[in-house]
Amino acid sequence: MSKHYPPVHQAKQFHCIHCGVFAAQHWRNLTFRESGESSIDPRMEYCVCGHCWEWSYWYKQRMLVPSEAPVPPAHEDFPEGPKADYDEARDIVARSPKAAAALLRLSLQKLMPELGEKGEKINDDIKSLVQKGVPAFVQQALDYCRVVGNNAVHPGEILLDDTPDVALALFEMLNVIVEQRIAMPKRIQAQYDELPESTRKAIEARDAKSAP
């Protein structure tokens, strides 16, 4: 996964809030016309993406439309159900890290069936994935999302309003999980399927002979 550069006021390049592409950004002030005369309010600006040509609107150096989202978009292979909660969390995280973290916990729970688990109790699902040999860093990402998300629902030692970076990290963690458990196997399977059928059958026969 490549580094994500969120929208920043007057930055010449960043990942577009609309298309997600790292592209040049073109800044302009909004012009108002009153009594036949044009005027500019320096507090009001708009930014045009050099890739999709969509606009974002800024007031006092803060993006207002679309809602400010200083986090990466959902992974392209993020399943639609949990992705809806991810996108909603992304839309509100600048205003309420706590609410965003609670939504991302829900996203994680909905993601579990996509990983072959029940999706009822996140802790039990993580335990099952560990028993199936999930890499340690993926387990840590899962538990990070579980613990921080639970804290948003049942406040404890982590004060998300005081430490918003903790909530912001959830977005990256979820994308890591999707990359490692969904996207990577999908890419490998697609490449494997490109092998000649005779070669794949020979591999299957080899593995069948070595099975106990």
Side-chain angles (χ1 to χ4, degrees), residues 15-23 25 49 51-54 73:
H15 280 92
C16 174
I17 193 70
H18 295 283
C19 66
V21 173
F22 182 74
Q25 305 294 324
C49 172
H51 179 262
C52 67
W53 301 108
E54 291 286 347

Side-chain angles (χ1 to χ4, degrees), residues 129-149:
L129 287 168
V130 170
Q131 291 172 344
K132 294 175 182 177
V134 69
F137 73 91
V138 175
Q139 170 262 310
Q140 291 170 353
L142 288 162
D143 276 317
Y144 185 94
C145 295
R146 176 183 64 85
V147 171
V148 176

Side-chain angles (χ1 to χ4, degrees), residues 14-66:
F14 52 69
H15 280 92
C16 174
I17 193 70
H18 295 283
C19 66
V21 173
F22 182 74
Q25 305 294 324
H26 309 285
W27 292 86
R28 302 287 187 275
N29 284 105
L30 284 171
T31 301
F32 302 90
R33 183 174 294 275
E34 184 177 358
S35 301
E37 295 184 1
S38 297
S39 61
I40 293 176
D41 184 341
R43 299 172 300 176
M44 294 291 299
E45 299 168 276
Y46 67 93
C47 180
V48 185
C49 172
H51 179 262
C52 67
W53 301 108
E54 291 286 347
W55 292 24
S56 59
Y57 296 88
W58 298 64
Y59 178 66
K60 290 185 176 180
Q61 302 182 10
R62 179 178 179 181
M63 186 191 296
L64 296 183
V65 181

Side-chain angles (χ1 to χ4, degrees), residues 84-154:
D85 297 305
Y86 183 103
D87 288 341
E88 185 176 352
R90 187 168 178 253
D91 189 53
I92 66 170
V93 66
R95 299 187 298 277
S96 177
K98 188 187 301 181
L103 280 167
L104 291 176
R105 180 190 181 280
L106 179 60
S107 179
L108 176 64
Q109 188 159 4
K110 291 181 179 179
L111 187 61
M112 285 301 185
E114 305 287 344
L115 305 182
E117 303 303 324
K118 295 179 180 179
E120 296 174 359
K121 295 183 179 179
I122 296 177
N123 199 41
D124 290 346
D125 288 341
I126 295 174
K127 180 180 178 180
S128 174
L129 287 168
V130 170
Q131 291 172 344
K132 294 175 182 177
V134 69
F137 73 91
V138 175
Q139 170 262 310
Q140 291 170 353
L142 288 162
D143 276 317
Y144 185 94
C145 295
R146 176 183 64 85
V147 171
V148 176
N150 282 345
N151 195 269
V153 179
H154 307 290

